[in-house]
């Protein structure tokens, strides 16, 4: 086996095992599951581990170099209009290729799928162009985010409450496993052409602004459509008796996701071919490596999405329904927090972000630090999501204060933490959130007889929110430690000078 692939699969194993263990423990001690359902879940977990390993290697070999190349080329463009059009087209093409968006479109009632997908794609395209201009002209990310989120909060006041959760969810699902590696690498490529001291800081923030676009676009769309009920239908755990039954169920799902991922990859493949034809940037070995990377990405996403949707999603819905039926249903809050703490490491795009952060900061912000902060943030968000389902509290009471806190913190932390924090919010809410946490939330809501549109939806939005606060709090700690070290060094130098003076006087 390829040594690098073996390393990536090993990382995936350590990421998926904890959440697998939690579900198995729940099935043993709290919510009994049929043996067939457990086998389906474990098979899905195995596919997740292998798929995540292939995907990470594929993103490293293909998405990252293409994104960086496009970023470098855009930074060389002289005309602002050309820059804006290129950024806009890149945003639209990449968004349409995101598998998570197809899932969201099928869940929103009263809005045709094509209308929602186009609306979200236009939102991402516009804000990606804005993000590129920000890097080009060194505009403050903090100030830009404050303006954007204040506009979001203002617009949200005029949108029907049934549409709010879906709108904020759309910002999370748009920045998924297909878009994140490409957009992040694009930011690195754009910033690499600058020689100023803030270039590394400005390489982050593209995902953050790209997440704002779809939220604003769907909020505006909500002013014209009036959804009253959710179209989401939960899938029951397949009834299996033998190992052949398990193989048959997954074999039926594989062609569907193989087609879905192929459709998603084709636009990015076209971007690569056109870009290569126009610039001749890559040669021989590089082209071969990128083509192999596309193959790894394809295999990885097919296995990952099939494992998540066929093996994990039905179990999530089942656990939600059963946990809501127990007499001490408030246990959902700590169980949700525990699942959130461990599930974030199983998001494929999270590891891409964390390794990129470690590389750009030369290890000052490590993968371990990022993982820990993201885990704490997502644990809090899933706990709050379960609290919302149980109580029916409007998502506005969580989202608006949360974003205000995040924006206030953005004026207090070092610049690099702002981009990383707001990027992490979009990255945290990926396919694992939509295939395990959302069905879990909907299962609970259905069991309690709640309103799916107002109570169950919104878990993706909360998962996208809390990392913003957690990462920036880490930035405050980092800032305090750095300041302390800065004060300690001059004090030590002063002590040494006093000692020298004393010695000279003694002579």
């Amino acid at each position: 086996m390829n040594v690098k692939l073996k390393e990536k699969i090993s990382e995936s194993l350590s990421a998926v095992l904890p959440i697998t263990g939690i579900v198995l423990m729940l099935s043993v001690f709290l919510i009994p599951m049929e043996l067939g359902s457990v086998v389906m879940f474990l098979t899905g977990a195995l596919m997740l581990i292998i798929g995540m390993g292939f995907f990470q290697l594929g993103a490293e070999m293909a998405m990252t170099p293409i994104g960086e190349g496009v970023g470098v080329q855009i930074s060389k463009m002289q005309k602002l209009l050309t820059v804006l059009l290129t950024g806009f087209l890149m945003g639209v093409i990449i968004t349409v290729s995101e598998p998570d968006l197809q899932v969201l479109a099928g869940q929103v009632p009263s809005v045709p799928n094509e209308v929602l997908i186009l609306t979200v794609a236009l939102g991402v395209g516009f804000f990606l162009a804005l993000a590129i201009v920000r890097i080009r002209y060194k505009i403050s990310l903090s100030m830009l985010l404050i303006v954007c989120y204040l506009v979001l909060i203002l617009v949200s006041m005029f949108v029907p409450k049934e549409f709010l959760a879906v709108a904020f969810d759309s910002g999370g699902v748009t920045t998924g496993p297909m878009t994140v590696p490409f957009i992040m690498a694009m930011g690195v490529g754009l910033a690499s052409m600058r020689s100023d001291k803030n270039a590394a800081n400005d390489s982050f923030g593209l995902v953050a602004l790209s997440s704002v676009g779809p939220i604003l676009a769907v909020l505006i769309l909500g002013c014209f459509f009036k959804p009253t009920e959710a179209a989401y239908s939960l899938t029951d755990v397949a009834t299996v008796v033998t190992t052949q039954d398990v193989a048959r169920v997954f074999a039926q799902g594989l062609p569907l996701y193989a087609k879905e991922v192929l459709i998603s990859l084709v636009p990015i493949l076209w971007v690569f071919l056109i870009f290569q034809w126009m610039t001749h940037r890559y040669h021989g070995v590089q082209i071969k490596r990128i083509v192999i990377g596309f193959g790894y990405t394809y295999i990885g996403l097919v296995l990952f999405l099939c494992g998540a949707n066929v093996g994990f999603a039905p179990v999530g819905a089942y656990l939600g329904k059963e946990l809501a039926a127990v007499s001490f249903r408030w246990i959902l809050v700590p169980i949700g927090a525990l699942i959130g703490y461990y599930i974030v490491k199983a998001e494929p795009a999270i590891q891409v972000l964390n390794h990129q952060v470690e590389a750009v900061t030369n290890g000052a912000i490590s993968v371990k630090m990022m993982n820990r902060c993201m885990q704490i943030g997502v644990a809090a968000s899933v706990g709050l999501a379960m609290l919302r389902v149980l109580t029916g509290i409007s998502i506005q009471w969580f989202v608006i204060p949360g974003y205000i806190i995040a924006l206030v913190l953005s004026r207090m932390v070092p610049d690099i933490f702002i981009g990383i924090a707001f990027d992490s919010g979009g990255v945290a809410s990926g396919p694992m959130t939509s295939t395990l946490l959302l069905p879990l939330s909907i299962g609970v809501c259905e069991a309690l007889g709640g309103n799916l549109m107002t109570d169950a939806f919104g878990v993706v939005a909360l998962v996208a929110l809390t990392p913003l606060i957690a990462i920036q709090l880490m930035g405050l700690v980092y800032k305090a430690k750095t300041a302390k070290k800065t004060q300690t060094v001059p004090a030590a130098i002063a002590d040494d000078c006093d000692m020298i003076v004393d010695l000279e006087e003694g002579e």
Side-chain angles (χ1 to χ4, degrees), residues 5 38 47 86 116 164 185 210 221 244-245 334 348 365 380 387 445:
L5 178 59
V38 174
M47 293 180 74
T86 306
L116 185 66
L164 276 175
S210 298
L221 190 70
Q244 280 189 339
D245 293 336
I365 305 171
L387 181 67
C445 191

Side-chain angles (χ1 to χ4, degrees), residues 190-505:
L190 284 161
S192 67
M193 299 303 290
R194 284 173 36 188
S195 56
D196 59 287
K197 63 179 182 179
N198 294 320
N201 297 353
D202 282 344
S203 65
F204 298 102
L206 262 74
V207 175
L209 286 168
S210 298
S211 299
V212 175
I215 301 175
L216 183 59
V218 177
L219 282 174
I220 294 171
L221 190 70
C223 296
F224 302 95
F225 290 91
K226 309 295 180 186
T228 55
E229 59 181 12
Y232 192 94
S233 57
L234 292 171
T235 305
D236 292 328
V237 182
T239 303
V240 293
V241 179
T242 66
T243 50
Q244 280 189 339
D245 293 336
V246 175
R248 176 177 45 80
V249 172
F250 280 97
Q252 288 172 350
L254 273 173
L256 172 67
Y257 298 106
K259 180 182 177 182
E260 184 178 298
V261 175
L262 182 63
I263 293 170
S264 299
L265 270 178
V266 165
I268 297 179
L269 185 59
W270 273 110
V271 168
F272 166 64
L273 293 173
I274 294 169
F275 178 70
Q276 175 64 12
W277 174 68
M278 292 178 65
T279 63
H280 302 287
R281 180 180 177 86
Y282 307 106
H283 306 281
V285 177
Q286 290 175 306
I287 294 175
K288 182 180 177 182
R289 179 179 168 84
I290 288 172
V291 171
I292 293 171
F294 268 111
Y296 280 143
T297 303
Y298 178 74
I299 293 169
L301 271 180
V302 170
L303 291 175
F304 185 93
L305 291 174
C306 185
N309 285 284
V310 178
F312 266 56
V315 171
Y318 174 79
L319 287 176
K321 287 180 180 179
E322 295 300 315
L323 284 169
V326 299
S327 56
F328 43 96
R329 62 179 59 151
W330 286 96
I331 198 173
L332 270 165
V333 176
I335 287 176
L338 186 65
I339 291 173
Y341 184 84
Y342 286 105
I343 202 172
V344 70
K345 285 186 70 177
E347 287 287 3
I350 283 284
Q351 303 311 319
V352 175
L353 169 71
N354 291 351
H355 282 96
Q356 187 124 16
V357 169
E358 186 174 63
V360 171
T361 61
N362 293 319
I365 305 171
S366 67
V367 170
K368 186 177 179 181
M369 289 168 62
M370 284 292 296
N371 273 328
R372 186 58 52 82
C373 276
M374 297 282 275
Q375 286 178 296
I376 293 170
V378 175
S381 63
V382 181
L384 289 173
M386 293 301 106
L387 181 67
R388 279 192 65 241
V389 178
L390 290 171
T391 60
I393 300 173
S394 170
I395 193 170
Q396 280 183 305
W397 291 103
F398 295 98
V399 170
I400 293 176
Y403 278 118
I404 289 172
I405 291 168
L407 293 172
V408 169
L409 285 172
S410 73
R411 303 301 298 165
M412 302 163 63
V413 300
D415 288 345
I416 193 166
F417 283 95
I418 302 170
I420 292 171
F422 280 85
D423 279 358
S424 69
V427 175
S429 47
M432 285 300 290
T433 303
S434 56
T435 55
L436 182 62
L437 294 181
L438 185 56
L440 177 72
S441 180
I442 290 174
V444 175
C445 191
E446 281 196 342
L448 296 177
N451 185 328
L452 295 187
M453 288 297 290
T454 57
D455 300 340
F457 285 93
V459 63
V460 179
L462 289 173
V463 168
L465 168 64
T466 48
L468 276 61
I469 299 170
I471 298 291
Q472 289 190 101
L473 289 175
M474 179 177 74
L476 283 179
V477 173
Y478 177 86
K479 183 180 179 181
K481 286 184 177 180
T482 305
K484 189 176 180 181
K485 285 181 182 178
T486 307
Q487 291 172 357
T488 305
V489 171
I493 294 171
D495 290 342
D496 290 341
C497 290
D498 291 341
M499 188 183 297
I500 293 168
V501 171
D502 290 341
L503 288 170
E504 288 177 348
E505 288 178 351

Side-chain angles (χ1 to χ4, degrees), residues 58-69 181-182 185-186 282 352 356:
E60 189 178 292
M61 293 173 66
M63 299 298 176
T64 300
I66 295 172
E68 284 185 10
F182 190 93
M186 215 168 130
Y282 307 106
V352 175
Q356 187 124 16

Side-chain angles (χ1 to χ4, degrees), residues 1-10 57 296:
M1 183 188 286
N2 184 316
V3 176
K4 197 71 176 174
L5 178 59
K6 188 176 180 180
E7 179 188 320
K8 296 294 184 185
I9 290 177
S10 178
L57 183 57
Y296 280 143

